[in-house]
Amino acid sequence: MAVENVSVVFKLYCLTVMTLVAATYTVSLRYTRTISTDLYFSTTAVCIAEVVKLILSLGMLSKETGSPTRLKNALVEHIFCSPKELLKLSVPSVVYAIQNNMAFVALSNLDAAVYQVTYQLKIPCTALCTVFMLNRSLGRMQWFSVFMLCAGVTLVQWKPGESTKVQVEQNPLFGFIAIAIAVLCSGFAGVYFEKVLKSSDTSLWVRNIQMYLSGIVVTLFGVYINDGEKILEKGFFFGYTPLVCFVVFLASVGGLYTSVVVKYTDNIMKGFSAAAAIVLSTVASVVMFGLKITIPFASGALLVCVSIYLYGIPKQETLKLSSKDKDEESKQRLITV
């Protein structure tokens, strides 16, 4: 895959930040859902994250257009005069809203390390959606790594470690169902969004704004349906602490930053990042939540880390892309998250 010609130091910086963001988000979210006394409403956190993403995307579009006039014209053309496009982007908005809410449910019932490993099932899910929705093919090594990853997750879920410092009642089966739904949503929404982006030359940030506008509406509806009465009684920001705000911030910048990082790195480095995030989450879970690591968990986590690396190795034939294919490949790098 063609990547931007940047220094090794910058690539390592990107890798480090992406790893820290993924691990810190998972562990911090887990902490706020299991240690805090006044539990905040997860639906409001998801909604606020969408608002922050919209603001950040507006800032990036403003930088891309270069002037207030061009920014205004872009918004008028693609937002106010394009209701069909907004409707089209409402599909991933709904799916992503479900995914984000399921992440809160999963981390309320599963340890951060178990969640981090199991969530890697998004790789085979995205691969299958890519095959069926974008008519792409996977190499033998990629299919092998997919099956290896599934085997690793099976081992992790077979006998996951127990956390001894968690103060709330947990339901591991309910947590696994939640993360399974999140994985399915992640695979479908990611590929759907890629397909929409490839269908036109519209800016990535314009598409993000269209999606986040729909996302705010969808998540506000979710807030009203799930926690409307409780919020009227306790307030929209009930239970919010600086750490909760930090979690919302990480949820907002994580996806946007990853899409930019992928432009300057490659799938192998992204795989190393995912594996490193698993290791960091495991260490943090042992220290913060008293996680007791079992042999099946350790074996499964190792299989998952190896499979992520193998999946990132490009197929041999992709090394001989034509110049046109390389341009298209370079464009797609900003799409894949």
Side-chain angles (χ1 to χ4, degrees):
M1 288 185 175
V3 295
E4 299 287 341
N5 186 21
V6 295
S7 67
V8 175
V9 175
F10 183 75
K11 288 185 178 182
L12 290 176
Y13 160 77
C14 291
L15 176 67
T16 302
V17 173
M18 186 164 65
T19 302
L20 291 176
V21 168
T24 305
Y25 170 70
T26 303
V27 174
S28 300
L29 199 162
R30 169 68 173 173
Y31 185 88
T32 62
R33 300 304 293 176
T34 57
I35 306 298
S36 303
T37 52
D38 296 327
L39 199 61
Y40 62 98
F41 303 110
S42 61
T43 52
T44 63
V46 173
C47 181
I48 295 172
E50 292 297 303
V51 174
V52 176
K53 288 177 184 178
L54 175 63
I55 295 172
L56 293 175
S57 295
L58 283 169
M60 295 303 296
L61 181 61
S62 175
K63 182 179 179 180
E64 185 177 82
T65 53
S67 70
T69 302
R70 292 176 181 174
L71 173 62
K72 177 184 175 182
N73 292 337
L75 293 176
V76 170
E77 178 184 356
H78 296 288
I79 306 299
F80 299 103
C81 298
S82 303
K84 290 184 178 179
E85 295 301 311
L86 286 174
L87 185 62
K88 185 187 300 183
L89 269 298
S90 66
V91 175
S93 296
V94 173
V95 180
Y96 276 131
I98 296 173
Q99 174 196 336
N100 293 332
N101 279 283
M102 287 299 103
F104 280 87
V105 174
L107 281 166
S108 298
N109 293 278
L110 293 174
D111 186 83
V114 177
Y115 170 88
Q116 193 74 267
V117 175
T118 308
Y119 189 61
Q120 301 309 315
L121 284 172
K122 66 181 180 180
I123 294 175
C125 183
T126 302
L128 290 175
C129 289
T130 300
V131 169
F132 290 113
M133 296 174 63
L134 299 180
N135 295 321
R136 292 183 188 165
S137 61
L138 300 179
R140 292 181 180 178
M141 182 62 72
Q142 289 177 306
W143 280 116
F144 174 75
S145 64
V146 165
F147 287 112
M148 180 186 290
L149 190 147
C150 293
V153 171
T154 301
L155 280 174
V156 169
Q157 289 294 331
W158 178 38
K159 196 175 182 181
E162 295 182 359
S163 300
T164 59
K165 298 181 182 180
V166 174
Q167 301 175 1
V168 297
E169 185 177 351
Q170 301 177 98
N171 187 334
L173 177 59
F174 190 48
F176 178 75
I177 293 173
I179 198 172
I181 295 173
V183 162
L184 292 173
C185 290
S186 175
F188 172 78
V191 175
Y192 180 95
F193 189 48
E194 177 179 349
K195 191 171 184 178
V196 171
L197 281 172
K198 288 179 61 181
S199 65
S200 69
D201 294 327
T202 305
S203 165
L204 169 68
W205 303 113
V206 168
R207 289 302 193 186
N208 278 337
I209 291 170
Q210 291 172 335
M211 186 167 63
Y212 296 144
L213 281 172
S214 302
I216 292 172
V217 175
V218 170
T219 52
L220 278 175
F221 181 73
V223 169
Y224 173 76
I225 294 297
N226 293 307
D227 301 307
E229 295 183 1
K230 295 179 182 178
I231 289 175
L232 287 176
E233 177 185 349
K234 298 181 178 181
F236 191 88
F237 295 101
F238 173 77
Y240 274 69
T241 62
L243 182 57
V244 174
C245 295
F246 181 60
V247 169
V248 173
F249 172 76
L250 289 177
S252 304
V253 303
L256 293 177
Y257 184 81
T258 302
S259 66
V260 175
V261 165
V262 171
K263 178 180 179 181
Y264 298 106
T265 62
D266 52 39
N267 280 334
I268 295 178
M269 291 191 72
K270 190 178 176 184
F272 274 121
S273 174
I278 290 173
V279 174
L280 289 178
S281 298
T282 302
V283 173
S285 294
V286 171
V287 175
M288 297 176 62
F289 309 114
L291 175 68
K292 295 181 178 179
I293 299 177
T294 63
I295 293 178
F297 173 84
S299 302
L302 180 61
L303 279 178
V304 169
C305 291
V306 173
S307 67
I308 292 172
Y309 168 75
L310 294 177
Y311 186 84
I313 298 177
K315 292 187 295 182
Q316 187 174 4
E317 59 267 25
T318 60
L319 299 178
K320 301 178 180 179
L321 293 173
S322 64
S323 58
K324 181 179 179 181
D325 292 332
K326 288 182 179 179
D327 292 338
E328 183 179 354
E329 185 77 23
S330 179
K331 180 180 176 182
Q332 290 176 15
R333 299 197 63 75
L334 273 179
I335 300 173
T336 307
V337 178

